[in-house]
Amino acid sequence: MDTSNLPVEDEITVEGFRTSRRSTNWLYRGTAMSPSREMDVEDLQRHILDFEAIHAFVATTLAAIMIRTKQRGIVAINRVHKLISSLHLSLSWIHCYYQFCCLDLEDKITFVHRIRRFPPPAQRTIGEIPDDNVSFSTYGFVIDELQLLKRHLRLPQQFTTPDRRGFSFTGEEALLISLYHLRNGQPFTQLSEEKFGGDPRLYTYYVREFVNHVYNKFYHKLSGDSMRQWLPWIDSFREAIWNILLDGVVNVRLSDGTNIDYQVYIPFEGFRVFGWLDDTDLPTTRPRAGIITTDDQELRDVQRAFYNRYFRGHGLKAQVVHLPNGMIGSVYICSQRHNDNGVQNLSGLNDYLVQILQPLWHNQSVPIYPALYGDGIFATLATIIKPYQQPNEIQAIINTRFSSLREDIEHKFSQVFNIYKILRAQHRHQLFYNAEWIRKQFFVCLFLTNCHTCFSESRNRRYNTRAPTIQRHLPLDEELPAAAPELDTIARAPNQLIL
């Protein structure tokens, strides 16, 4: 017999009564009654009531028989004796069944278990990190960068959860645990065992409070009116791309079979491109998978709303504006069902850029604006252009050069998904239950990628431009909004696009 799971005499145990899952705090859901057990308890309670009623009826019958028997003779007493014995035996069996039902009910509504033992809390302050190598491999930032990030993210000294429990923890704990979780994508139990200790059931508080704080306080840096902050650098962005596009010569094979060295030349005054536009996808689980019946048309519509035939899966899509200094200028997140051009129409990005950009020149009274360069699926608009369609030889060369430069935004997408492996945990992204949370988490990962770029120049050396420092990008004297707009109020407004 295996005795490894038997309780030890000196172990501390906890006893209590089970309640329904809805009435039980999520930290103690393991002690709650499942719906099937609740039905069993209700059946047992009905049986107990029936046994009590039968017991009362039999006892009353016996008492009445005894009274009437005293009024009759000995013959009647002998005749009734067998009946009394039979009723008494029935009463004992009823009492026996009643006791078994009570024991079964007690087993179902009470619990006794050992107190769970977790490793003690550890490594929850930046001062406990041994060196920069460990810090960078663990959190993606060196120690000094973590200190700056903590300061410029305006993390409070202490977070307190809004629920009735009022659990409190420091902002530094939330920063480290959240960065580690987002970067590695590991479950909370593994984080507790291998890194931070403590009760893993509480880790959701750390991550959710951190993500909500960053999303609400810095939403305007990556969405909404976020492109306005880059207006002073539009011309320098154009010049950086223009210099790279014109750098060097291209060996071209003409239609007659001859090869020539061709150098692309476009006058800077007529050059419009200042950034790149593309979309990336976040795969998720199928909404409400496994329980759809033929009559659940509403749930089928929910699944269809997030399904993309091209990728053959469900998920979210993010429209991203990438700038030559390595920063993400704007993000719009919606359902994966739409193609890239449809997402642009939903976001209203072109209309927004027309409102805030100054025209470079006018062509017969038509203003010509700086533009983002996208792939062929986008429509040619006032501030969005795409490769030449049916190009001649020179235009084909320009398309090739632009295609090479446009790979930067694809590298940015790879960087985001490589740094934050939580985005690869498709099984954790359950749209039907946590769609808003998944969107926020995706948004925060994109924002933290911008913070990486502020500390590192590896993504912007190609254009000889520098990203702003974290002090300049997230200045401490900036007045932050109280909260990001709610999803049901996100809409386009005059002179300001809320993405």
Side-chain angles (χ1 to χ4, degrees), residues 289-353:
I291 64 170
I292 303 297
T293 64
T294 55
D295 298 329
D296 290 333
Q297 185 59 42
E298 182 178 352
L299 294 179
R300 289 185 180 278
D301 292 341
V302 171
Q303 291 189 352
R304 193 175 291 111
F306 291 93
Y307 182 76
N308 186 290
R309 292 184 178 180
Y310 181 80
F311 294 102
R312 297 183 180 180
H314 301 79
L316 299 177
K317 175 172 284 191
Q319 174 185 271
V320 174
V321 173
H322 187 242
L323 303 173
N325 62 354
M327 300 289 284
I328 296 175
S330 177
V331 169
Y332 179 81
I333 301 175
C334 66
S335 166
Q336 187 179 245
R337 181 171 181 81
H338 309 284
N339 61 28
D340 293 2
N341 198 46
V343 176
Q344 193 287 131
N345 292 332
L346 287 173
S347 69
L349 178 64
N350 176 69
D351 298 337
Y352 167 63
L353 292 177

Side-chain angles (χ1 to χ4, degrees), residues 229-247:
Q229 64 185 315
W230 303 110
L231 291 181
W233 289 273
I234 294 296
D235 288 340
S236 62
F237 292 159
R238 288 173 49 226
E239 185 177 3
I241 298 175
W242 179 73
N243 287 330
I244 298 297
L245 186 71
L246 271 59
D247 185 27

Side-chain angles (χ1 to χ4, degrees), residues 448-469:
L448 290 174
T449 304
N450 266 0
C451 296
H452 276 273
T453 306
C454 290
F455 290 120
S456 172
E457 299 182 13
S458 62
R459 290 292 171 187
N460 47 38
R461 291 176 181 171
R462 181 178 191 180
Y463 298 96
N464 197 28
T465 60
R466 297 190 63 177
T469 62

Side-chain angles (χ1 to χ4, degrees), residues 122-143 145-146 149 172-184 191 195-196 419-420 448 452:
Q123 303 184 51
R124 299 195 177 193
T125 62
I126 298 176
E128 295 180 70
I129 303 175
D131 54 53
D132 284 342
N133 292 330
V134 174
S135 178
F136 186 81
S137 63
T138 305
Y139 305 106
F141 301 93
V142 299
I143 295 175
E145 293 172 352
L146 284 175
L149 194 63
E172 195 169 356
E173 287 180 287
L175 172 67
L176 296 180
I177 292 177
S178 299
L179 285 179
Y180 190 88
H181 175 63
L182 295 175
R183 182 172 173 80
N184 295 278
L191 265 64
K195 189 70 178 175
F196 299 104
I419 293 178
Y420 298 107
L448 290 174
H452 276 273

Side-chain angles (χ1 to χ4, degrees), residues 152-154 211-226 229 443 447 473-486 496 498:
H152 287 272
L153 288 181
R154 316 276 189 94
V211 168
N212 286 331
H213 172 83
V214 173
Y215 179 82
N216 288 323
K217 296 300 181 183
F218 300 101
Y219 178 87
H220 64 290
K221 289 293 184 181
L222 209 59
S223 202
D225 199 24
S226 62
Q229 64 185 315
F443 183 94
F447 173 80
H473 186 54
L474 306 176
L476 294 175
D477 57 354
E478 180 184 10
E479 184 176 352
L480 299 179
E486 296 293 335
Q496 181 175 356
I498 300 178

